[in-house]
Amino acid sequence: MRELQSVDLQLPSPVSELHDDRLASSAVRVLLKRDDLIHPEIPGNKWRKLKYNISTARERGLDTLLTFGGAYSNHIRATAAVGHYGGFRTIGVIRGEEHVPLNPSLAYATARGMRLTYLDRTTYRAKTSDAVISSLHREFGDFYLLPEGGSNSTAVLGCAELPAELKEPFDALFCAVGTGGTLAGVAAGMAAHQQVVGVPVLKGGEFLEDEIVELQQATYGSRVGTWRLEGDYHFGGYAKRTPELDDFIEDFDTRHGLLLDWVYEAKMMYALFDQVTRGAFARDTTIIALISGSVGVPEL
């Protein structure tokens, strides 16, 4: 894109087959869509969500991006990177109190030029209210507002482009679900006979179904695509893990040389293997596993 001419983006992202005896016994084929390789600082769904939001900000003549996130937010880091490469000022509104020294995620964001400000948790819960947004405008002036996680109608349009990059026939696609924007878009871009299986990474993530429908309605006017959520693979909740999940990550890395992000991708891949083992997919099914995240903070 012209907005980030100095960035070497690997698009379309590569697809590789996952050879694993546990899949072979079920006669199910799995292909990895390596969106994590799009760019080390703006990987996967972060790039797809930000792509058209950047264009919209420029069209509106705005040179500042403001967004929200927790202290370890991948979205905060990606927004800081986009600002650095695209010539935007960036402001990160962080949940909770400031702690110094900054953790690696926030230190990376500030190194990429992001200005950080903090909201106490009570105020943060009201971050989308007119009162909070007006207060932020008084402090920072005009800005383009990106929601927490980057999921809005514009982001959905970027994610909807992904299925067109998949040239090999497939039946289903698995993706991790945080805010729902990725699933909302990918499902919209799928053929009628294909389905998306979303794996919420937070406890009680079934509520995300309503939010995904709202995103699709705002973008397309109705619920679109064939998709469902599998909510039993959160391993205790967002950014929580168990020895069972850690063992799966270690085994997967040993088998395939790919260290899965434990917050998102590991839970999704665990769900995929569990569903296949349980016989949820017919023999000769081909599944795409969307690898969107990355492990750790990019080095500068």
Side-chain angles (χ1 to χ4, degrees):
M1 284 185 67
R2 65 178 181 83
E3 286 84 356
L4 298 176
Q5 290 179 344
S6 63
V7 182
D8 184 16
L9 299 171
Q10 187 173 179
L11 289 168
S13 58
V15 176
S16 59
E17 184 162 1
L18 186 69
H19 298 284
D20 193 299
D21 55 358
R22 295 168 294 180
L23 300 170
S25 62
S26 300
V28 171
R29 188 177 181 218
V30 173
L31 306 176
L32 303 181
K33 175 63 168 166
R34 295 295 305 276
D35 260 19
D36 58 312
L37 299 179
I38 288 177
H39 189 271
E41 297 180 66
I42 321 168
N45 60 353
K46 302 308 177 190
W47 164 248
R48 296 186 189 276
K49 288 179 178 182
L50 289 167
K51 175 181 176 181
Y52 290 123
N53 276 295
I54 296 168
S55 300
T56 302
R58 289 203 188 278
E59 289 168 2
R60 295 179 182 177
L62 298 171
D63 63 1
T64 300
L65 308 175
L66 182 144
T67 195
F68 302 91
Y72 292 89
S73 167
N74 292 332
H75 170 67
I76 288 288
R77 297 202 310 258
T79 302
V82 162
H84 170 77
Y85 288 111
F88 289 96
R89 294 173 58 238
T90 56
I91 300 165
V93 183
I94 309 303
R95 180 180 64 247
E97 304 301 322
E98 180 180 12
H99 295 279
V100 291
L102 297 176
N103 69 43
S105 292
L106 296 183
Y108 167 84
T110 58
R112 281 301 189 218
M114 176 173 275
R115 179 176 176 182
L116 302 180
T117 188
Y118 297 82
L119 292 179
D120 65 80
R121 294 178 182 274
T122 299
T123 306
Y124 192 89
R125 284 193 288 271
K127 61 185 177 296
T128 60
S129 68
D130 290 341
V132 172
I133 299 302
S134 295
S135 175
L136 291 170
H137 275 296
R138 286 194 298 272
E139 183 173 358
F140 299 111
D142 290 336
F143 53 74
Y144 183 85
L145 180 63
L146 289 164
E148 184 175 29
S151 291
N152 57 14
S153 295
T154 308
V156 168
L157 293 174
C159 293
E161 296 178 340
L162 184 148
E165 298 177 8
L166 299 167
K167 304 304 181 184
E168 194 158 350
F170 68 97
D171 305 291
L173 183 147
F174 270 68
C175 69
V177 179
T179 56
T182 300
L183 188 151
V186 170
M190 301 273 273
H193 68 281
Q194 297 167 329
Q195 63 171 311
V196 180
V197 180
V199 181
V201 299
L202 63 163
K203 192 173 183 179
E206 292 80 6
F207 78 90
L208 286 165
E209 179 156 353
D210 290 339
E211 300 203 359
I212 294 167
V213 171
E214 288 180 9
L215 280 168
Q216 290 191 330
Q217 288 176 333
T219 310
Y220 304 106
S222 65
R223 177 172 178 152
V224 292
T226 302
W227 54 272
R228 72 175 193 270
L229 299 179
E230 291 288 345
D232 294 332
Y233 301 97
H234 53 77
F235 291 89
Y238 182 74
K240 294 187 177 179
R241 59 204 295 181
T242 66
E244 183 181 12
L245 183 64
D246 288 341
D247 289 344
F248 176 81
I249 293 170
E250 182 178 354
D251 179 67
F252 194 91
D253 189 25
T254 300
R255 290 171 181 259
H256 305 294
L258 176 59
L259 183 61
L260 297 170
D261 163 38
W262 61 272
V263 178
Y264 291 96
E265 316 305 335
K267 295 178 180 182
M268 178 272 294
M269 287 300 302
Y270 186 101
L272 188 158
F273 274 86
D274 188 60
Q275 290 282 301
V276 170
T277 301
R278 291 171 180 268
F281 295 92
R283 298 176 70 84
D284 299 321
T285 294
T286 297
I287 299 173
I288 302 291
L290 177 58
I291 308 296
S292 285
S294 57
V295 177
V297 179
E299 294 185 4
L300 297 182

